[in-house]
Amino acid sequence: MLQRLRTQRGPQLALLLTLWVVLGRLFAGNWTFPLDRSSLTPFHTWLGNGMDSIDANRNTNPIMSNVVEGIRNGIDGFVAALQNLLSQPPAGHQFPLVGWLGVIAIVTWVVYATANWRVATLAGIGFYALGALGFWTESMDTLALVIAAVVIALIIGIPLGILSGLFPRFEKLMTPFLDFAQVMPTFVYLMPVALFFLIGPASATIVTLIYAIPPALRITAVAIRGVPTVTVEAGTSLGTTRWQLLRKVQLPQAKRTIVVGINQTIMAALSMVTIAALIDAPGLGQVVVQSLQKLDVGTSFQAGLAIVVMAIVLDRATTAAAAKVQRESVQAARTRLRRRLGLGIGFVGVVVAVLVSYFTVFGAQFQGSGFIGLPFADAMQAGADWVQLHWSNATSWYTDLISNWFLNPLQSALVGTPWFLTGAVVLALAYMFGGPRLTAVCALLLAVLVGTGLWSDAMVTLAATFFAAAITIVLGVFFGAWMGRNHRVDSILRPVLDAGQVLPAFVYLVPFLGLFGATRFTAILAAVVYAAPASVKLIADGVRGVPQTIREAALSAGANTWQVITKVELPMARHAIALATNQGLIYVLAMVVVGGLVGAGGLGYLVVAGFAQSSLRGKGMAAGLAIVVLGILIDRITQAASQPRVRASIGNGH
Amino acid sequence: MTTTISVRNLWKVFGPHPEAIVNSPDAMLSRSELRKKTGATAAVRDVSFDVGEGEVFVVMGLSGSGKSTLVRCMTRLIEPTAGEVLIQGEDVLHADGARLREIRRTKFSMVFQHFGLLPHRRVIDNVAFGLEINGIKKDKRYARAEEVVGLVGLQGYEQAYPEQLSGGMQQRVGLARALASDPAVMFFDEPFSALDPLIRRDMQTEVIRLHEEVGKTMVFITHDIHEALRLGDRIAIMRDGGLVQVGTPEELIAQPADDYVANFVLDFPKSHVLTLRWIARPATSDAELQGPALPANMVIRDAARTVLEVDGPVRVMDDGALLGVVSTEEILAVIAGAQG
């Protein structure tokens, strides 16, 4: 059954593609909705006017002036309080309340308390490096925002996650929102949020919340559901109340996974806080955005490195904390005593350091700021200049090759084909993979996309997305299969991929900006680097999951390595590959759009332009909407394609 | 003997419209036919039995026969679809939330196949967990926990964490936890299935010993006929959610209700369970009544030596009355017939 359905799809797909190419050629250039960068459709003007009127009524509309402004002031106050502690001197003070010495002491002590002394040392050195790179104040601004967002995200996310874990019905209610928040490229919620909450820390915190709550909620739910049924039954059979069961049985066992969720929340928050620089969030992101826009490779490297350092410290600290939650339970009483003693002594040191940082200039103001950072930035700038001078032949040969043979034909085909033809192909795909319901949903989405008036720009973005995703999948299959069958390769590559996944998305733009300047290749390659880790890991896990006995059966039948890979492992990992394709496309889309910052065209550019020029605000908003529609289209169709319809007909067991 | 547990017409149907299946003609369909027709699965079908005070009642069946669902319905870890469960005369199925918790805290306890220990608590805190739930003060519950820890042979492991113990030791913790609240009834859900055969035997011996010491009423679920025959005062054989036969080990072996039960007990050495009562025959002449007398409830294995040593048959006496005689042929038929 499974086989029959699958083999039917091949010829259908080929026919569809051929029809699209041939007819597209025939009608090339007609009904394509071309639109100049500065031209507006009535819809864009209408959106712009709407946004203007929201601005105008900020103080008169009761909802705006009470609810929205109330939330904004509350969050702003929270962030400002944290900033006063860490980065910005409060009124009447010359320095923030806790100086660099105090902050480093507190961070080291907290990491020691929640993880271990090795990671604590790394954290201390890492935080010192932030100052040495020349960005102490900016780093503390970023940290203040991250703390604010994470605290609120956990306060909201963990209780909702517990509810989702306990009540499947509640989870069903939450799922569409979570899916939506995670599929949507981070870039696009900036403007709507900024519209209501104005640019600044409050908006930055709220966009970060949208991005950081889903992992906290989802992983908490998984953790609660992952508690072995038998322990829940054992607790129940002893007569626990619901509350006792949760507090004494479920939460303690879910703790470790919940800490993993906290790790994900922190990393998501850091990633988003840097991007929120586009709506004037203070901190390291500002430096990166400004230097990217000025094409200042040296400074963008310098600030990018600071973000990387902070990401690594936060990630290592929370990962080690999660590992410790598990180990702690079986620790002997003696080591526990010794630890408590160490913590106590450390705490005295922290108090001293905080006092010193409060009362002395030495402790308050980072000494020798930038003594590593400035030479580093110069070296990177020099390196980039050298590369562009000496390698420009090589890079331009390479970009020409790709442009002429792959990207341009793909882009001109997508842009030049009449919209209804491409739309018909999308609907046909939706029908093939998902049936009438998905087709109806996709028809609606296509109508919205056409309605935004940005069809042509959407196709430019789509071309770059397809191209980058194709590279990502090829890399994914190659390295995934390699990692899946070779433990040594896995143990070398996996930490690199893990590290790659925790870095905030647009740090990836920095090195490619040095190589390719402000071109779409910078965006495409950054997208590949951003998306590849997830794809590679998914496929590697899929290949690893192939039962050893099946592999042995193939080998004993005389299959060679190549045959085992192509005839056993990859086909059996096809669900993982489909999932990797879905994830790859979503990640790539998110990053290609961010590429608008460094000269990539399409929808991303329009969003950035909308931030920069108030006359293009409405158009930027429409571009954001188009990106969302594109993202949902891609996600729904690839997800449907990865779940063969036969599932219903196999029905067995409950 | 007073009745401690009474189960009456208990049903559990999974799937759409479970109430409609109860007592309907559809319920008598085979499992796959019922599923095809209604989309429902009858996991427990019209089960009734009584368990006397201090009795060890074993429910035995293959996987999927509904025995785990049955025990969960009795403790309401799963809500039954219909029927009645009385424990010490109290209707468990109609108890409200608070009363049900009270019953669980005081009247019965349960031992699980995969132990269900809390990994973040030490042995002593696992054992005392039920008491803690019940709001008993720390020193009091620790004193009681120490007591049962001693009872199950776990002295010296109070401060260990479950993952530091072997499977057998972990299940001793599970036993201790169930004993701690001094319940009237203990439910065992295949408690030893996850253990190695040798450990399993040890643990069975442990249960027999505990039963002699504390004399609890026990409901014991297993898929292992040897375990069932070894532990059970009475055994219920379950298939497709219904009871096929309920009886003493002797009755199951001597008079299996159908081929299904007969198949189960096929490999079991009958001489270990059957008593002389089952093979006594009338004497054919006075000469046969000259042999020594043996009690009717003596197991054949134990009687074999005596019967084989004397020349003629032995007399089988039941409370001073002559039940019949047994000679070498009858003994050999049972012992040799065990394989056939």
Side-chain angles (χ1 to χ4, degrees):
Chain A
M1 186 72 179
L2 192 78
Q3 207 50 45
R4 202 163 55 79
L5 267 182
R6 299 215 141 244
T7 44
Q8 272 177 348
R9 278 181 185 172
Q12 279 180 357
L13 281 175
L15 181 69
L16 213 55
L17 198 65
T18 319
L19 268 179
W20 180 73
V21 170
V22 172
L23 290 175
R25 270 288 143 109
L26 217 58
F27 297 109
N30 296 308
W31 306 291
T32 58
F33 299 127
L35 191 69
D36 286 342
R37 283 196 161 175
S38 52
S39 306
L40 300 177
T41 68
F43 176 63
H44 302 158
T45 320
W46 179 78
L47 270 181
N49 291 341
M51 294 166 81
D52 290 342
S53 80
I54 288 177
D55 274 343
N57 293 323
R58 182 170 303 282
N59 298 319
T60 49
N61 182 310
I63 294 180
M64 285 298 286
S65 62
N66 294 322
V67 180
V68 173
E69 287 295 283
I71 294 175
R72 187 173 79 87
N73 290 331
I75 296 178
D76 266 345
F78 183 34
V79 174
L82 285 165
Q83 280 180 310
N84 284 342
L85 276 180
L86 296 170
S87 56
Q88 307 294 341
H93 285 69
Q94 196 189 349
F95 298 109
L97 296 178
V98 185
W100 70 277
L101 194 65
V103 171
I104 290 179
I106 292 172
V107 165
T108 312
W109 186 81
V110 168
V111 176
Y112 176 62
T114 56
N116 58 57
W117 64 266
R118 241 170 289 152
V119 185
T121 314
L122 173 83
I125 294 174
F127 265 62
Y128 183 76
L130 295 176
L133 281 167
F135 295 118
W136 180 261
T137 305
E138 290 84 349
S139 303
M140 290 307 107
D141 274 332
T142 296
L143 187 65
L145 272 178
V146 168
I147 292 173
V150 167
V151 166
I152 302 175
L154 296 181
I155 288 175
I156 298 173
I158 289 184
L160 290 182
I162 291 173
L163 288 177
S164 297
L166 293 178
F167 307 108
R169 237 186 244 165
F170 184 76
E171 173 158 58
K172 250 189 198 146
L173 197 76
M174 299 301 296
T175 303
F177 294 104
L178 299 182
D179 279 349
F180 188 64
Q182 288 195 315
V183 167
M184 228 181 353
T186 52
F187 214 44
V188 306
Y189 13 104
L190 297 181
M191 201 184 295
V193 171
L195 176 65
F196 286 97
F197 296 95
L198 300 177
I199 58 171
S203 283
T205 308
I206 290 170
V207 294
T208 307
L209 285 180
I210 298 176
Y211 193 56
I213 288 175
L217 198 160
R218 279 217 153 108
I219 297 175
T220 304
V222 167
I224 292 288
R225 238 176 302 121
V227 172
T229 324
V230 61
T231 57
V232 175
E233 282 190 335
T236 313
S237 79
L238 289 166
T240 51
T241 59
R242 257 228 144 101
W243 175 242
Q244 283 175 324
L245 191 68
L246 180 66
R247 205 163 49 88
K248 292 178 187 258
V249 176
Q250 291 170 306
L251 279 182
Q253 292 186 78
K255 203 160 98 183
R256 198 180 95 83
T257 311
I258 292 177
V259 178
V260 174
I262 296 176
N263 165 283
Q264 300 268 306
T265 306
I266 291 176
M267 301 325 288
L270 179 61
S271 173
M272 196 64 200
V273 158
T274 47
I275 291 183
L278 287 170
I279 49 171
D280 214 27
L284 291 166
Q286 282 281 355
V287 186
V288 178
V289 169
Q290 279 162 15
S291 50
L292 282 178
Q293 280 167 340
K294 283 185 290 191
L295 303 181
D296 177 351
V297 175
T299 312
S300 62
F301 257 105
Q302 190 186 353
L305 187 63
I307 294 176
V308 170
V309 168
M310 189 177 270
I312 289 174
V313 169
L314 293 179
D315 181 50
R316 288 293 97 199
T318 43
T319 307
K324 199 185 138 225
V325 169
Q326 191 177 35
R327 267 201 326 276
E328 195 177 39
S329 62
V330 290
Q331 235 175 23
R334 238 182 54 202
T335 47
R336 218 179 288 173
L337 192 72
R338 210 166 46 203
R339 254 186 76 82
R340 278 197 196 140
L341 206 66
L343 281 174
I345 295 170
F347 185 75
V348 176
V350 169
V351 172
V352 171
V354 170
L355 289 176
V356 169
S357 80
Y358 185 77
F359 287 110
T360 70
V361 176
F362 165 80
Q365 192 171 36
F366 193 85
Q367 305 294 306
S369 175
F371 74 90
I372 294 177
L374 296 176
F376 175 78
D378 290 344
M380 283 297 139
Q381 186 65 54
D385 291 346
W386 187 87
V387 164
Q388 289 198 331
L389 189 66
H390 294 272
W391 283 12
S392 62
N393 281 338
T395 51
S396 70
W397 175 82
Y398 165 82
T399 51
D400 286 348
L401 179 84
I402 288 183
S403 287
N404 294 335
W405 285 94
F406 299 103
L407 203 44
N408 287 349
L410 180 63
Q411 184 171 323
S412 60
L414 278 165
V415 172
T417 302
W419 68 269
F420 51 82
L421 211 55
T422 305
V425 170
V426 171
L427 292 182
L429 287 176
Y431 190 79
M432 259 171 76
F433 294 129
R437 230 182 108 185
L438 183 65
T439 315
V441 172
C442 287
L444 191 70
L445 290 169
L446 282 171
V448 175
L449 189 58
V450 170
T452 61
L454 299 171
W455 180 268
S456 177
D457 290 288
M459 291 304 112
V460 172
T461 297
L462 199 59
T465 305
F466 281 160
F467 183 69
I471 301 177
T472 305
I473 300 307
V474 170
L475 288 178
V477 169
F478 180 77
F479 285 104
W482 199 16
M483 276 172 70
R485 50 198 344 270
N486 188 329
H487 276 277
R488 183 117 46 91
V489 175
D490 189 276
S491 62
I492 294 168
L493 281 183
R494 197 167 283 265
V496 178
L497 298 178
D498 286 346
Q501 275 191 308
V502 303
L503 298 185
F506 74 7
V507 169
Y508 292 110
L509 290 172
V510 173
F512 294 106
L513 187 65
L515 279 174
F516 296 104
T519 64
R520 57 186 173 174
F521 287 97
T522 299
I524 286 174
L525 288 173
V528 170
V529 175
Y530 176 61
S535 296
V536 172
K537 271 160 69 174
L538 279 170
I539 294 175
D541 291 342
V543 169
R544 163 100 9 103
V546 173
Q548 194 61 27
T549 47
I550 298 181
R551 208 171 275 143
E552 282 168 353
L555 283 173
S556 70
N560 61 31
T561 306
W562 177 248
Q563 286 170 322
V564 171
I565 295 176
T566 55
K567 291 187 189 296
V568 177
E569 290 173 346
L570 291 181
M572 288 196 68
R574 64 164 181 264
H575 183 72
I577 294 175
L579 194 61
T581 308
N582 170 277
Q583 293 288 299
L585 278 163
I586 297 299
Y587 273 63
V588 160
L589 176 65
M591 196 64 198
V592 162
V593 169
V594 175
L597 275 177
V598 290
L603 299 171
Y605 169 83
L606 296 177
V607 174
V608 176
F611 284 123
Q613 280 173 269
S614 65
S615 61
L616 291 180
R617 228 150 63 124
K619 196 176 182 184
M621 195 75 148
L625 181 63
I627 292 168
V628 172
V629 170
L630 218 49
I632 300 176
L633 270 174
I634 291 175
D635 181 55
R636 292 292 116 180
I637 292 180
T638 50
Q639 238 179 45
S642 70
Q643 293 166 348
R645 262 180 293 170
V646 286
R647 213 170 52 166
S649 70
I650 296 175
N652 190 26
H654 45 229
Chain B
M1 193 159 56
T2 53
T3 302
T4 302
I5 305 175
S6 188
V7 175
R8 289 282 164 268
N9 310 103
L10 194 67
W11 287 82
K12 177 65 199 181
V13 180
F14 292 104
H17 310 297
E19 302 81 9
I21 310 285
V22 173
N23 286 325
S24 73
D26 283 349
M28 294 305 129
L29 293 171
S30 81
R31 181 161 291 201
S32 58
E33 280 171 332
L34 178 66
R35 193 185 174 82
K36 202 181 276 174
K37 189 171 171 196
T38 64
T41 307
V44 175
R45 283 202 253 209
D46 202 12
V47 168
S48 303
F49 59 86
D50 290 322
V51 182
E53 190 182 339
E55 190 181 12
V56 179
F57 187 83
V58 175
V59 179
M60 141 91 205
L62 299 180
S63 63
S65 61
K67 56 191 190 304
S68 274
T69 311
L70 172 64
V71 77
R72 278 171 173 69
C73 284
M74 293 170 70
T75 53
R76 275 182 69 189
L77 287 175
I78 295 177
E79 287 296 337
T81 311
E84 203 172 46
V85 175
L86 304 178
I87 292 182
Q88 291 184 330
E90 176 167 7
D91 186 350
V92 177
L93 303 191
H94 287 101
D96 63 5
R99 181 62 200 156
L100 177 63
R101 274 198 297 280
E102 194 55 35
I103 296 174
R104 283 172 171 165
R105 286 174 183 183
T106 53
K107 285 205 173 172
F108 63 71
S109 64
M110 195 160 167
V111 180
F112 294 85
Q113 182 178 6
H114 295 292
F115 321 141
L117 303 180
L118 300 176
H120 57 283
R121 287 167 163 254
R122 292 168 302 163
V123 165
I124 192 82
D125 288 315
N126 262 295
V127 173
F129 185 65
L131 305 172
E132 181 184 332
I133 290 301
N134 206 4
I136 291 175
K137 292 264 180 318
K138 202 168 188 172
D139 48 344
K140 229 173 153 187
R141 64 174 192 252
Y142 276 165
R144 171 65 185 158
E146 283 289 348
E147 207 176 299
V148 283
V149 158
L151 205 58
V152 299
L154 274 173
Q155 299 95 331
Y157 291 96
E158 291 89 345
Q159 302 302 319
Y161 283 89
E163 65 178 38
Q164 296 168 317
L165 303 179
S166 69
M169 295 296 267
Q170 291 192 28
Q171 195 55 297
R172 281 173 198 265
V173 181
L175 266 176
R177 180 176 63 187
L179 280 168
S181 61
D182 196 21
V185 179
M186 292 176 80
F187 292 99
F188 292 79
D189 179 27
E190 298 202 46
F192 309 139
S193 301
L195 303 178
D196 294 337
L198 285 179
I199 313 275
R200 196 182 308 163
R201 243 195 116 66
D202 274 356
M203 293 301 291
Q204 289 163 3
T205 313
E206 189 75 24
V207 167
I208 293 171
R209 187 181 66 78
L210 278 174
H211 185 247
E212 279 164 10
E213 281 182 32
V214 298
K216 306 279 181 208
T217 306
M218 295 181 175
V219 176
F220 198 105
I221 309 289
T222 181
H223 65 251
D224 176 358
I225 184 70
H226 291 86
E227 190 166 82
L229 293 170
R230 193 160 175 235
L231 297 176
D233 292 326
R234 279 189 309 143
I235 298 164
I237 307 270
M238 216 173 162
R239 180 178 55 177
D240 277 355
L243 293 187
V244 183
Q245 185 175 6
V246 182
T248 63
E250 222 178 330
E251 285 166 349
L252 292 187
I253 287 181
Q255 296 175 322
D258 60 9
D259 288 350
Y260 184 75
V261 180
N263 250 320
F264 266 124
V265 296
L266 193 63
D267 289 337
F268 197 81
K270 290 181 175 139
S271 59
H272 291 198
V273 174
L274 290 189
T275 56
L276 294 177
R277 180 192 310 276
W278 295 97
I279 55 170
R281 60 172 169 84
T284 51
S285 67
D286 280 354
E288 289 194 325
L289 296 173
Q290 302 308 312
L294 291 175
N297 59 2
M298 187 177 219
V299 174
I300 292 173
R301 181 178 56 175
D302 300 336
R305 178 168 290 272
T306 319
V307 178
L308 296 181
E309 272 171 0
V310 300
D311 283 341
V314 298
R315 285 173 297 139
V316 178
M317 304 299 285
D318 187 17
D319 271 348
L322 179 70
L323 209 65
V325 296
V326 168
S327 53
T328 314
E329 285 78 50
E330 282 86 22
I331 297 283
L332 288 180
V334 171
I335 293 176
Q339 269 70 41

